[in-house]
Amino acid sequence: MCRTERTLSTSCPQPQSTPSGFARRRLWELSSHCHCPLIGVCLPLATLHRLLAKAVGPCMELSDYEAHTRTVAACPGRSPFTKLLQRELDQRHALTIVRFRAAKTAEELEGLWMQALDSGDIAGAFWAAVTHGRCHAVLEERLCRDMHMLQHQAGAEMRESRVRLAAMKKENQELADELRRTQERSKRVQKEKLEKLEWLDAALIRARADNIAKDTLIGSLRAELDDLKQAVPDLLPRLQLKQQIARLQERVAMLEQQNMMAKMACTMIPGEAANSNLPQNEVTVPQASTHEDATGTVALARKHVLCVGGRDGNVAGYRKLIEHVGGRFAHHDGGRQDNLKQLDNSLAAADLVICQTGCISHNAYWRVKEHCKRTGTRCMFIDNPSMSTLSKSLDELSTTATALKDERK
């Protein structure tokens, strides 16, 4: 027999009979079948181990089951250990004992027990009821039966709780993993956003610096322009007049050259004109053999005709047709290869503009239309760049010019 068993069995007299009256019964005075539920329900395991160590001193480690069975085995006898148990149970459940003390009959005691069962506070209620002076053998048996079934229910609930706990732990682990992944994604997104924000801040700083530099340049240019305007109040009108004078000078020079050639042609005889170094189409005006040629000569004689656009293969034909009726031919391809700046000079020197609308750029078309509208220069818009269409348009122009001349007469 070990030291624990010897100590617990020392001075263990036989259980005494239940005292009469209202005196509470002691632990060793209860029936033996009450001890197991009392020790298992009314005392926590930690307290049970502490009381065992206090009663028997240090000994080998006992499992919970061993501590429970040895304590239950020691309960029927009165000993220092059972007195410790009695005192511990009375102190732990003192309030419940006071509440149950108000029961004067076994029926009232049973009513308090039923209330405790409904409320779920059964540990203190079982100790107070089973040790009550009015607890007879039948009521004690019922208390033990109720406690036995409660223990079974508690075990079943514990098993279910463990299953639920395992499921909750699993779910908690899954949620923890998902939370960790979400946090990692959030950190990555936050890092990307911070990098993008830093890049945007740097870009904003660069843009502000560029704007400051541009504002500074604009301010300096405006100041320079104001200085120029103050120095030369009519600067812009002078520049416009200068450009207009340059265009007029070019036209005057061209007209003087044409006038000189016309005077030379008038002083030459037909034979000399054939042997002259001057081009035939710029010296003499061929005599019209038909009425149609005569009218064309009257309309375009010594007129500077500018043809804008057209097919490259028809340019020579255009020139021959214009010079045949007495006009002076000039050509511009409408911006395909020739510079559009040359078009303004050619338009300024032209008396008649033939615009091949199907073979020029939009920019050249609007330049021609705007110039002719502004200066009043006659303009013919031709959709088809063929020779026959040009000849027909010249005939219509000659007919119109002749009709106007006859009306004036």
Side-chain angles (χ1 to χ4, degrees):
M1 182 179 297
C2 67
R3 180 182 177 184
T4 304
E5 293 176 347
R6 289 197 304 268
T7 305
L8 295 179
S9 60
T10 303
S11 302
C12 294
Q14 295 298 324
Q16 300 177 3
S17 60
T18 303
S20 60
F22 290 96
R24 294 182 62 247
R25 298 187 296 174
R26 304 299 179 181
L27 177 62
W28 51 87
E29 296 173 352
L30 302 176
S31 301
S32 59
H33 59 270
C34 295
H35 296 150
C36 180
L38 269 176
I39 301 302
V41 175
C42 299
L43 277 179
L45 288 173
T47 303
L48 185 59
H49 283 283
R50 177 175 58 80
L51 294 176
L52 280 171
K54 185 176 181 181
V56 301
C59 64
M60 62 179 180
E61 293 292 335
L62 297 177
S63 65
D64 295 338
Y65 177 74
E66 292 174 343
H68 174 77
T69 55
R70 292 188 181 185
T71 303
V72 171
C75 286
R78 183 175 182 178
S79 65
F81 178 60
T82 54
K83 291 180 180 180
L84 285 175
L85 293 175
Q86 178 74 31
R87 185 165 54 250
E88 179 67 28
L89 289 170
D90 288 341
Q91 291 176 357
R92 182 175 294 274
H93 306 293
L95 294 177
T96 308
I97 292 171
V98 172
R99 181 163 55 87
F100 272 67
R101 189 176 296 167
K104 303 303 181 180
T105 63
E107 288 75 11
E108 295 178 359
L109 182 62
E110 185 178 1
L112 292 175
W113 169 248
M114 297 303 295
Q115 293 177 5
L117 287 178
D118 294 336
S119 64
D121 183 16
I122 59 173
F126 183 69
W127 172 250
V130 80
T131 57
H132 196 278
R134 291 299 185 184
C135 182
H136 49 73
V138 177
L139 181 58
E140 181 182 276
E141 182 68 20
R142 179 177 179 180
L143 294 176
C144 291
R145 290 177 180 179
D146 291 341
M147 185 60 68
H148 181 77
M149 294 308 298
L150 286 174
Q151 287 177 330
H152 282 297
Q153 294 175 6
E157 290 178 357
M158 182 175 293
R159 289 192 296 272
E160 293 177 359
S161 299
R162 288 181 179 179
V163 173
R164 290 195 300 269
L165 179 61
M168 293 177 64
K169 287 183 178 180
K170 182 179 179 182
E171 183 180 2
N172 183 57
Q173 184 62 37
E174 294 176 354
L175 293 175
D177 295 340
E178 181 64 25
L179 177 62
R180 177 179 53 79
R181 290 191 294 268
T182 303
Q183 289 176 344
E184 291 177 356
R185 289 196 300 269
S186 177
K187 289 181 180 179
R188 288 197 301 269
V189 172
Q190 185 178 8
K191 182 178 179 181
E192 294 175 358
K193 294 295 183 181
L194 289 175
E195 293 176 353
K196 186 175 181 180
L197 182 60
E198 292 176 356
W199 182 86
L200 290 175
D201 289 339
L204 179 60
I205 293 174
R206 291 193 298 268
R208 287 178 177 174
D210 294 341
N211 289 335
I212 293 173
K214 290 179 180 179
D215 292 340
T216 304
L217 179 61
I218 291 172
S220 62
L221 292 176
R222 285 179 177 174
E224 185 178 353
L225 180 60
D226 293 338
D227 295 339
L228 290 175
K229 288 181 178 180
Q230 293 177 1
V232 185
D234 54 349
L235 177 61
L236 294 178
R238 286 187 179 184
L239 293 176
Q240 295 176 355
L241 289 175
K242 184 178 180 181
Q243 295 176 357
Q244 186 176 1
I245 290 171
R247 291 195 298 268
L248 292 175
Q249 287 177 349
E250 292 179 357
R251 186 172 183 182
V252 168
M254 187 177 297
L255 291 175
E256 288 179 352
Q257 184 180 3
Q258 294 176 0
N259 188 26
M260 181 184 65
M261 290 182 178
K263 289 179 179 180
M264 292 175 62
C266 292
T267 57
M268 289 183 180
I269 60 177
E272 292 178 351
N275 297 327
S276 176
N277 293 330
L278 295 175
Q280 182 66 22
N281 55 5
E282 294 184 0
V283 175
T284 60
V285 178
Q287 298 295 325
S289 58
T290 63
H291 176 73
E292 191 173 309
D293 290 342
T295 57
T297 303
V298 172
L300 298 180
R302 298 180 182 179
K303 299 293 184 181
H304 190 84
V305 181
L306 173 63
C307 182
V308 182
R311 296 173 181 170
D312 295 338
N314 294 341
V315 174
Y318 297 159
R319 181 185 296 277
K320 183 176 180 181
L321 183 61
I322 296 299
E323 292 178 350
H324 178 70
V325 295
R328 301 183 183 278
F329 179 79
H331 180 260
H332 191 281
D333 65 0
R336 288 179 297 173
Q337 295 181 358
D338 297 340
N339 193 339
L340 287 177
K341 293 183 179 180
Q342 298 176 358
L343 180 60
D344 296 333
N345 298 331
S346 300
L347 289 171
D351 297 311
L352 174 65
V353 179
I354 300 174
C355 182
Q356 303 278 5
T357 58
C359 303
I360 64 172
S361 64
H362 292 284
N363 193 1
Y365 171 80
W366 288 110
R367 285 197 181 196
V368 169
K369 188 172 183 179
E370 189 275 333
H371 173 80
C372 294
K373 183 178 180 181
R374 177 169 48 84
T375 61
T377 304
R378 185 67 180 274
C379 182
M380 296 171 56
F381 293 96
I382 301 176
D383 296 335
N384 192 347
S386 64
M387 292 292 296
S388 60
T389 303
L390 179 60
S391 177
K392 184 177 179 181
S393 299
L394 291 176
D395 291 343
E396 293 176 356
L397 176 65
S398 299
T399 303
T400 303
T402 303
L404 291 174
K405 186 175 180 180
D406 294 340
E407 290 178 359
R408 291 174 183 175
K409 290 180 179 181

